[in-house]
Amino acid sequence: MSAETSFKNEEGNHQRHISEALRKMLLVGIGAAMLAHEEGEAFVKKIKDKGEEAETEGLKRMREIHNRRKQKAEEIIEKRINQVLHRMDIPTRADYLDLSEKISELSKKLEAE
């Protein structure tokens, strides 16, 4: 084998090594991009799910707060109305029910005699 042939073979081997190295680097780059894409999608999904959970929990808490405030407001209004009725000496529903119950009891006693 001549020196020229040996040089060409050596040059061909270097080109194959370089081509193979470039191919491996390209595959590594593509693999890294795909992995980053998959992990990115998983991360975005996880963040979205956490956001939806937070939204659901936030809405639940808002409803609870609203219901407590509504109940408290109703209690305050009822108390104020009863105070006004009492000051005006106007009987309440409870007074009418109590009076109705007493009348029923008296009626039963009279019928029993």
Side-chain angles (χ1 to χ4, degrees), residues 93-104:
R93 177 172 167 75
D95 293 335
Y96 280 114
L97 293 175
D98 187 42
L99 186 58
S100 177
E101 187 177 318
K102 288 179 181 178
I103 291 171
S104 294

Side-chain angles (χ1 to χ4, degrees), residues 86-112:
H86 181 71
R87 275 192 223 142
M88 295 176 69
D89 204 23
I90 298 174
T92 64
R93 177 172 167 75
D95 293 335
Y96 280 114
L97 293 175
D98 187 42
L99 186 58
S100 177
E101 187 177 318
K102 288 179 181 178
I103 291 171
S104 294
E105 288 175 13
L106 287 173
S107 293
K108 288 178 186 175
K109 285 182 181 179
L110 285 174
E111 288 175 5

Side-chain angles (χ1 to χ4, degrees), residues 62-76:
M62 283 177 50
R63 278 189 221 107
E64 289 172 357
I65 290 169
H66 172 75
N67 289 338
R68 279 192 304 237
R69 286 184 178 176
K70 181 180 174 185
Q71 183 179 3
K72 184 70 174 171
E74 289 173 353
E75 290 171 2
I76 290 170

Side-chain angles (χ1 to χ4, degrees), residues 13-92:
N13 284 339
H14 284 312
Q15 286 179 352
R16 278 192 298 274
H17 288 302
I18 290 172
S19 293
E20 185 62 27
L22 287 173
R23 181 179 172 276
K24 287 179 182 177
M25 286 175 44
L26 180 64
L27 292 174
V28 166
I30 292 171
M34 291 299 296
L35 183 61
H37 177 73
E38 289 171 0
E39 288 181 0
E41 283 182 344
F43 182 68
V44 168
K45 183 185 180 318
K46 187 175 182 180
I47 291 173
K48 181 183 146 278
D49 292 345
K50 289 292 183 184
E52 288 173 350
E53 288 176 19
E55 178 185 33
T56 301
E57 187 63 30
L59 289 172
K60 178 182 171 188
R61 287 185 182 177
M62 283 177 50
R63 278 189 221 107
E64 289 172 357
I65 290 169
H66 172 75
N67 289 338
R68 279 192 304 237
R69 286 184 178 176
K70 181 180 174 185
Q71 183 179 3
K72 184 70 174 171
E74 289 173 353
E75 290 171 2
I76 290 170
I77 291 170
E78 185 177 342
K79 182 180 176 183
R80 300 278 188 219
I81 289 172
N82 286 332
Q83 287 173 345
V84 169
L85 292 174
H86 181 71
R87 275 192 223 142
M88 295 176 69
D89 204 23
I90 298 174
T92 64

